[in-house]
């Protein structure tokens, strides 16, 4: 059961607010250097990437456009290679430099399908920027172009990432205590 105070449910802090700020600054600078003179569009996959997106866009010193998408995986089991669009983009991607902004790259199934889908819309380029990467869990052939931090194979929450839709507003990244999953 979740406690009244989120911090009581966290066993270990993986990234502090200060460490996250350093990541935001570093990745924002990398993107700024790469996309100068391009037509950059940041596409956030809701809901997990919303905090990362909000910070990252302010660390990019370029005239960016933003858009949002909601997808859900479907098919049997966890190896499903398909996504269903719940909310599509408003922008027409043709000729644009698309950067998909994700919270965490885990099995890679979601992003693999999403990349295939979005590449049919004729963007000039398509890349991935993920806050976290869990390479040990990868199933689909997906590599992120920008990675905030690599994390071990543990369930993490905070900074947009949820467990049962909670802990997204925790300002740091932590590992949840096992007893919170239990009941
Ligand atoms: P996948 O890469 O298709 O397996 O899906 C990644 C999605 O699973 C992420 O966008 C998250 O919503 C969720 N996810 C994976 N690992 C974690 C975690 O450790 N904490 C919270 N959500 C996670
Ligand atoms: Mg997600």
């Amino acid at each position: 059961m979740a406690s009244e105070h989120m911090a009581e449910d966290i066993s270990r802090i993986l990234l502090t607010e200060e460490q996250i700020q350093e990541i935001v600054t570093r990745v924002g600078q990398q993107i700024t250097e790469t996309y100068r003179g391009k037509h950059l569009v940041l596409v956030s996959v809701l809901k997990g990437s919303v905090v990362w997106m909000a910070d990252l866009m302010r660390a990019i010193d370029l005239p960016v456009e933003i858009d949002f998408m909601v997808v859900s995986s479907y098919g049997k089991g966890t190896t499903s290679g398909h996504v269903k669009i719940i909310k599509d983009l408003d922008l027409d991607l043709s000729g644009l430099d698309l950067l998909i902004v994700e919270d965490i790259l885990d099995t890679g199934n979601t992003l693999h399908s999403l990349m295939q889908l979005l590449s049919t819309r004729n963007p000039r380029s398509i890349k991935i920027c993920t806050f976290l990467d869990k390479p040990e869990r990868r199933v689909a052939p997906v590599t992120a172009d920008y990675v905030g931090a690599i994390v071990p194979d543990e369930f993490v929450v905070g900074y947009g990432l949820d467990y049962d839709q909670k802990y997204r507003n925790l300002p740091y990244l932590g590992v949840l205590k096992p007893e919170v999953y239990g009941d």
Side-chain angles (χ1 to χ4, degrees):
M1 250 266 288
S3 311
E4 187 93 355
H5 303 287
M6 289 187 289
E8 291 170 11
D9 296 338
I10 303 300
S11 62
R12 199 166 99 245
I13 295 177
L14 279 185
L15 294 172
T16 64
E17 289 186 67
E18 291 74 21
Q19 288 171 319
I20 292 173
Q21 187 50 55
E22 285 171 20
I23 291 169
V24 168
T25 303
R26 170 175 57 81
V27 178
Q29 281 172 357
Q30 288 173 354
I31 293 170
T32 302
E33 284 160 23
T34 310
Y35 285 90
R36 195 162 278 125
K38 304 252 168 73
H39 191 150
L40 176 59
V41 179
L42 302 176
V43 165
S44 156
V45 185
L46 294 173
K47 303 170 189 170
S49 66
V50 73
V51 182
W52 169 232
M53 174 79 153
D55 281 348
L56 184 66
M57 62 189 280
R58 286 175 290 174
I60 298 172
D61 187 18
L62 294 171
V64 302
E65 290 181 51
I66 63 168
D67 207 346
F68 298 90
M69 232 180 146
V70 179
V71 299
S72 85
S73 301
Y74 67 93
K76 292 185 194 74
T78 51
T79 53
S80 158
H82 300 280
V83 287
K84 185 169 141 200
I85 298 179
I86 310 294
K87 186 233 171 273
D88 207 338
L89 300 173
D90 298 327
L91 294 172
D92 174 358
L93 297 181
S94 60
L96 305 185
D97 295 293
L98 171 63
L99 187 57
I100 301 174
V101 177
E102 255 287 29
D103 53 352
I104 184 165
L105 183 50
D106 189 37
T107 66
N109 286 324
T110 313
L111 272 180
H112 184 65
S113 305
L114 194 60
M115 290 279 279
Q116 285 183 327
L117 179 89
L118 294 180
S119 54
T120 65
R121 299 183 182 181
N122 304 314
R124 186 164 58 187
S125 65
I126 174 164
K127 286 189 179 180
I128 296 171
C129 174
T130 188
F131 174 54
L132 302 173
D133 190 2
K134 251 190 213 176
E136 287 170 53
R137 295 255 309 159
R138 198 78 83 256
V139 173
V142 181
T143 312
D145 300 280
Y146 303 93
V147 176
I150 291 173
V151 288
D153 184 11
E154 287 180 279
F155 199 80
V156 294
V157 294
Y159 198 67
L161 290 106
D162 72 305
Y163 168 66
D164 197 18
Q165 297 300 326
K166 292 185 280 284
Y167 307 98
R168 293 192 196 277
N169 57 323
L170 200 66
Y172 50 86
L173 187 79
V175 177
L176 211 52
K177 285 181 183 169
E179 57 258 41
V180 182
Y181 304 92
D183 35 347

